[in-house]
Amino acid sequence: MFKKILIANRGEIACRIIKTAKKLGIQTVAVYSEVDANAQHVLSADEAYCIGPGPAHQSYLLMDKIIEVAKSTGTQAIHPGYGFLSENDLFASKCEKAGIVFIGPSAEAIRLMGSKSQAKALMQKAGVALTPGYHGDDQSATLLSKEALKIGYPVLIKASAGGGGKGIRLVERAEDFDSALESCQREAKNAFGNAHVLVEKYITEPRHIEVQVFGDKFGNYVYLFERDCSVQRRHQKVIEEAPAPGITAITRERLGKAAIEAAKSVNYLGAGTVEFIFSREGEFYFMEMNTRLQVEHPVTEMITGLDLVEWQLRIADGESLPLDQNSLTIRGHSIEARIYAEDPQTGFLPSIGPLVCMRMPNESLNVRIDTGVVQGDVVSPYYDPMIAKLIVWDTDRSLAITQMSQALSKFHVLGVANNIYFLDQILKTKSFAAAELSTKLIEYEESQLFPQQTEPSPEVLMLASVYEWATFAKGEGVARYQKGWRLNSDAQIDFVFKGKEWRRGVRLSLSEEGIPKSIKIDVDDKNYEISQLRTDSDRISIEHDETWLSALVLSDNSSRYLSSAHGRWTYALMNLSDQVHLKDSHAGELRAPMPGKVVMVKVKVGQNVKKGDVLLVMEAMKMEHAITAPQDGVIQACLCKVGDQVAESADLIVFE
Ligand code: ADP
Ligand code: ADP
Ligand code: MG
């Protein structure tokens, strides 16, 4: 076995690989960018080398520099993880030239599968069913739109070199084709350095089912069954599970065999994933092959009891497949939820900032957490904003869902927006519970997943104010007493809490003994009685209307995060004098939702626009984000131009 490997990646996947290397007694070398100097993958590797500044193209994508580190440290093999250089055939061949094993397939296999167009051509030859479409070389708009008509709308335009859900456009009507093509090509060029696209039939309400395959250098292949990754937003996976619900043994075998055909066609070595799209009629078509370890590989590990990174290392080291097809079995059911620093309420915009507080469930035989961050780390704008993968296992699907729901209820983050509550809501939808999976699930369950009610209930405000009182009572709140709230002479305390779209003044009345007994909220005239309360470090329980309510509250300076049966709330405890500032809010200015680059300004000063019109397009985290008009109006000023790098909350457009 290798004595030393280098991991050309960061975050949870680098940590994941280091774990297996340690188990096998392999020394590990980490590389990192300046912003990752204290990252977990750096701390857990045996050696670590800084390779440049934050932006990936100045660090994690520097092939020669990484190979130089590998050589100078006596590394025998490089594991590329996923993303970054994992599907870069040039990197694989550079490794080979340097006499270092690339832990993955051959450069040739990566190249062939790296282009969705070429891969489709290859599969056609191998006799694997394809989604109908055009995957040829002619890239003229005229030809592509003619092909789209032939295929029949709706169609998808996909960047051939795309990945991670980027560079995909759904086009429903012929008249929208040209502008979608243009935008897709631009995103493809920016994100993948290649504007080549393919057009294919859009399968309505499909399922995404993929097969894990492995090949060794002796020409043996196995499939480690399938994963259902249908629950997606923006063509990106959010929840994955294995096995795929409702797949019969016969279909499973057909899928497995088709996946192996795909792998064989490129003499595949190591771990790969063949993705299929399932129509509602149960037909499946080849979509693409990912020539690397997949983000969601843990669900396969949970149901097979295997360590896929160990398999990768053994195969790269020249061993044969550890097990043959007949020795592989499925046990129980596993689900993975990707916990992202992103805000489901604002179209899943990534959220950047420090993980001020983070609470995670305990790991057990049923619960696994793969993460690369700890409390205090920062989600930076440079990389994927995934905080952790939460993986559960149980003997069947419904028990696994319960495990996941319980684990999510113990996962709390203060500092960045996140999707934890949203994930839990997905589990609770009828479609998910009934395993009626499709890539449309999130859209169909919109009303439940994106609740309109975005203002805290009196129960939440009771809990929030009792928390402040308790913190103060513990003697920690002297400064807060002066700043954040005021104790009135008649034993009343006034607070102002401010969430993203709400602000509440709350008056807490105390008994003669100084114990909270009721609150009044500035928007109504009621008294909400608190009959009993308990406080215990960061937990608050109160009795109201003969019911006990309880919450976990995390705090940092004036920021608060409160989680209770009444939802998860993030808000600030306002300095009372801040109330003045709230009045001069900038309703007429559209601000950058995140740091990024302005790639298109579609409006001019004086122009009339309608609600929903795209005013400008920003690019951030390799994706385009359209800034649209919040209502009908007139453009008063454009405060940015194409090419500008803008900070989060920078004013972009003044709008009346
Ligand atoms: P998976 O297909 O394993 O579920 P994702 O599609 O979420 O994984 O991609 C995993 C990571 O790799 C993400 O950070 C994604 O942005 C990145 N990624 C995937 N494919 C590419 C690609 N071709 N180019 C750049 N980044 C990619
Ligand atoms: P990526 O490389 O970004 O993962 P894929 O080709 O795998 O790109 O597609 C990503 C997702 O887009 C799929 O998981 C699926 O939800 C959706 N998708 C892809 N092709 C189709 C199609 N022909 N019809 C409907 N949805 C599709
Ligand atoms: Mg894919």
Side-chain angles (χ1 to χ4, degrees):
M1 181 47 76
F2 304 120
K3 293 215 161 45
K4 197 187 248 190
I5 62 168
L6 181 147
I7 297 104
N9 214 299
R10 63 179 301 282
E12 67 86 16
I13 195 61
C15 295
R16 160 74 193 88
I17 295 159
I18 291 170
K19 221 173 251 172
T20 292
K22 281 200 172 142
K23 180 180 87 178
L24 300 177
I26 302 170
Q27 295 274 310
T28 51
V29 180
V31 290
Y32 63 95
S33 71
E34 284 159 14
V35 296
D36 277 342
N38 293 311
Q40 290 304 299
H41 79 281
V42 175
L43 303 178
S44 56
D46 296 301
E47 295 169 59
Y49 299 88
C50 182
I51 49 170
H57 65 274
Q58 294 175 47
S59 49
Y60 294 106
L61 293 175
L62 292 179
M63 303 187 229
D64 294 332
K65 192 132 189 191
I66 292 171
I67 290 174
E68 209 177 282
V69 174
K71 278 197 196 149
S72 69
T73 51
T75 292
Q76 294 157 291
I78 297 184
H79 196 307
Y82 56 71
F84 297 123
L85 297 170
S86 62
E87 292 178 273
N88 188 312
D89 60 303
L90 181 59
F91 183 62
S93 61
K94 275 178 186 266
C95 287
E96 195 186 340
K97 277 194 202 105
I100 295 166
V101 175
F102 175 80
I103 302 171
S106 67
E108 174 73 356
I110 298 176
R111 192 180 58 76
L112 290 170
M113 288 298 181
S115 154
K116 292 189 206 293
S117 304
Q118 273 187 49
K120 282 184 85 174
L122 214 62
M123 289 309 108
Q124 208 158 25
K125 271 199 215 138
V128 178
L130 297 180
T131 326
Y134 173 79
H135 51 264
D137 284 333
D138 191 333
Q139 294 288 298
S140 70
T142 338
L143 178 108
L144 292 172
S145 68
K146 225 183 256 162
E147 289 293 336
L149 268 184
K150 230 192 271 170
I151 297 164
Y153 283 91
V155 300
L156 279 187
I157 309 176
K158 279 191 198 174
S160 297
K166 290 161 203 164
I168 299 182
R169 295 290 181 281
L170 167 63
V171 195
E172 293 181 278
R173 307 173 313 173
E175 52 267 48
D176 299 332
F177 188 86
D178 286 353
S179 72
L181 175 66
E182 191 191 310
S183 146
C184 185
Q185 286 170 329
R186 190 175 51 238
E187 186 171 300
K189 183 92 187 111
N190 277 338
F192 311 109
N194 183 343
H196 196 283
V197 298
L198 62 84
V199 185
E200 67 183 28
K201 178 85 196 149
Y202 178 69
I203 312 285
T204 43
E205 289 177 57
R207 283 173 76 179
H208 170 123
I209 298 180
E210 58 184 32
V211 180
Q212 176 71 58
V213 294
F214 265 92
D216 66 18
K217 69 167 192 187
F218 307 102
N220 305 309
Y221 295 92
V222 288
Y223 59 91
L224 273 59
F225 314 110
E226 77 287 345
R227 298 181 281 255
D228 189 304
C229 312
S230 302
V231 182
Q232 303 183 348
R233 50 103 185 72
R234 304 218 273 216
H235 308 299
Q236 275 180 306
K237 302 157 187 168
V238 192
I239 294 183
E240 303 102 338
E241 56 186 299
I247 294 296
T248 61
I250 295 168
T251 306
R252 176 162 298 131
E253 194 179 328
R254 275 180 59 217
L255 265 176
K257 287 193 167 147
I260 285 181
E261 280 316 309
K264 268 188 186 159
S265 73
V266 290
N267 295 319
Y268 200 81
L269 182 75
T273 294
V274 185
E275 298 187 332
F276 294 96
I277 195 127
F278 263 64
S279 73
R280 277 170 59 179
E281 294 72 40
E283 290 301 317
F284 61 83
Y285 309 99
F286 171 85
M287 198 157 42
E288 63 159 347
M289 179 166 188
N290 291 329
T291 53
R292 56 175 162 92
L293 187 65
Q294 203 91 344
V295 176
E296 58 276 18
H297 76 277
V299 293
T300 300
E301 298 188 319
M302 298 296 261
I303 60 156
T304 57
L306 302 170
D307 178 337
L308 301 196
V309 175
E310 178 178 341
W311 275 44
Q312 286 190 296
L313 292 168
R314 291 194 182 283
I315 289 163
D317 195 35
E319 290 183 27
S320 58
L321 288 172
L323 292 174
D324 61 18
Q325 195 65 54
N326 293 328
S327 323
L328 290 162
T329 48
I330 298 178
R331 202 179 134 254
H333 198 93
S334 178
I335 305 177
E336 172 181 282
R338 299 192 191 188
I339 297 179
Y340 278 103
E342 66 179 20
D343 189 353
Q345 295 288 350
T346 58
F348 305 100
L349 273 185
S351 172
I352 287 150
L355 295 160
V356 176
C357 294
M358 189 159 79
R359 298 287 155 83
M360 295 195 281
N362 292 326
E363 289 193 83
S364 67
L365 285 176
N366 296 92
V367 177
R368 162 175 167 183
I369 299 167
D370 281 17
T371 184
V373 291
V374 291
Q375 179 167 301
D377 284 353
V378 173
V379 178
S380 79
Y382 304 114
Y383 318 112
D384 193 282
M386 191 163 72
I387 299 171
K389 302 189 304 205
L390 180 58
I391 305 114
V392 299
W393 179 91
D394 215 314
T395 47
D396 65 33
R397 186 173 189 269
S398 89
L399 290 172
I401 293 176
T402 307
Q403 289 282 355
M404 180 59 89
S405 199
Q406 282 171 359
L408 285 170
S409 74
K410 294 178 187 138
F411 213 124
H412 304 284
V413 175
L414 167 68
V416 288
N418 62 76
N419 66 342
I420 300 172
Y421 180 73
F422 175 75
L423 290 168
D424 195 40
Q425 291 301 108
I426 294 179
L427 301 182
K428 295 189 164 74
T429 58
K430 263 206 197 119
S431 343
F432 191 84
E436 280 157 14
L437 303 171
S438 93
T439 61
K440 288 276 184 196
L441 187 143
I442 289 178
E443 207 175 297
Y444 289 160
E445 298 284 3
E446 212 170 70
S447 56
Q448 188 176 342
L449 297 176
F450 305 95
Q452 291 306 303
Q453 205 258 339
T454 49
E455 308 210 329
S457 62
E459 285 82 358
V460 170
L461 295 171
M462 272 189 264
L463 287 160
S465 33
V466 170
Y467 173 83
E468 299 307 332
W469 168 84
T471 318
F472 177 71
K474 271 189 300 189
E476 291 168 14
V478 180
R480 216 169 283 147
Y481 168 61
Q482 288 157 348
K483 280 180 72 185
W485 46 277
R486 184 185 298 136
L487 192 57
N488 290 339
S489 51
D490 50 351
Q492 291 178 330
I493 316 171
D494 292 333
F495 301 103
V496 177
F497 297 117
K498 185 177 178 293
K500 213 159 62 186
E501 285 158 14
W502 54 271
R503 192 185 73 97
R504 287 286 180 281
V506 179
R507 174 161 289 183
L508 179 67
S509 303
L510 303 180
S511 69
E512 276 171 21
E513 295 78 36
I515 309 290
K517 60 175 195 207
S518 67
I519 67 160
K520 254 192 182 156
I521 308 167
D522 59 5
V523 290
D524 65 18
D525 211 25
K526 288 193 203 135
N527 239 343
Y528 296 92
E529 303 287 342
I530 299 165
S531 39
Q532 288 192 69
L533 66 89
R534 279 186 220 124
T535 68
D536 170 22
S537 63
D538 45 21
R539 279 217 158 263
I540 297 287
S541 304
I542 59 175
E543 194 191 34
H544 164 69
D545 251 0
E546 290 172 16
T547 315
W548 277 93
L549 308 166
S550 104
L552 169 100
V553 188
L554 303 178
S555 69
D556 176 63
N557 297 320
S558 61
S559 337
R560 299 289 181 272
Y561 162 87
L562 183 150
S563 167
S564 75
H566 292 258
R568 298 182 184 225
W569 298 90
T570 303
Y571 53 89
L573 173 68
M574 301 296 286
N575 187 329
L576 286 181
S577 61
D578 286 349
Q579 294 174 61
V580 188
H581 299 297
L582 288 170
K583 297 211 176 84
D584 50 48
S585 73
H586 302 254
E589 280 155 32
L590 291 177
R591 295 173 170 187
M594 56 194 305
K597 197 165 102 183
V598 178
V599 292
M600 188 188 263
V601 180
K602 296 196 104 159
V603 287
K604 289 199 195 74
V605 174
Q607 188 173 330
N608 283 306
V609 292
K610 288 235 144 37
K611 179 176 173 174
D613 282 358
V614 175
L615 307 181
L616 64 81
V617 181
M618 281 181 65
E619 187 202 280
M621 295 180 146
K622 289 190 181 164
M623 288 189 70
E624 291 196 350
H625 304 275
I627 310 283
T628 55
Q631 61 219 39
D632 297 357
V634 184
I635 302 301
Q636 294 232 301
C638 274
L639 307 172
C640 61
K641 57 181 190 310
V642 172
D644 281 359
Q645 199 72 42
V646 295
E648 183 174 345
S649 297
D651 294 331
L652 301 174
I653 278 176
V654 185
F655 175 83
E656 199 183 68

